[in-house]
Amino acid sequence: MGVSLKKVCVHNGHVFEIPKKDYSEIRRPEFHKQDILMMDMAYETQNRNPYEF
């Protein structure tokens, strides 16, 4: 088993995944001068797939 990380942001009830190598997702026009919630999501993996208990 392993652990993977994803960066996500929430804006107006919509969740956007931010690609690991590119932060262009957070430069979207609708985010201009807006508050957004950004977070790191960690999840457990098994054979490189999300694992559920």
Side-chain angles (χ1 to χ4, degrees):
M1 286 194 218
V3 175
S4 288
L5 296 171
K6 285 190 178 193
K7 290 190 178 288
V8 295
C9 67
V10 179
H11 179 259
N12 289 337
H14 298 284
V15 178
F16 299 93
E17 181 180 347
I18 301 171
K20 289 182 181 181
K21 294 184 179 182
D22 184 20
Y23 285 97
S24 64
E25 188 70 24
I26 60 174
R27 293 189 204 127
R28 299 174 78 161
E30 61 264 27
F31 293 163
H32 185 69
K33 294 186 179 180
Q34 297 289 319
D35 290 329
I36 58 172
L37 173 65
M38 293 190 64
M39 64 189 105
D40 291 327
M41 180 176 70
Y43 56 96
E44 195 168 354
T45 59
Q46 184 175 30
N47 295 329
R48 297 185 182 179
N49 292 315
Y51 178 74
E52 190 172 25
F53 293 105

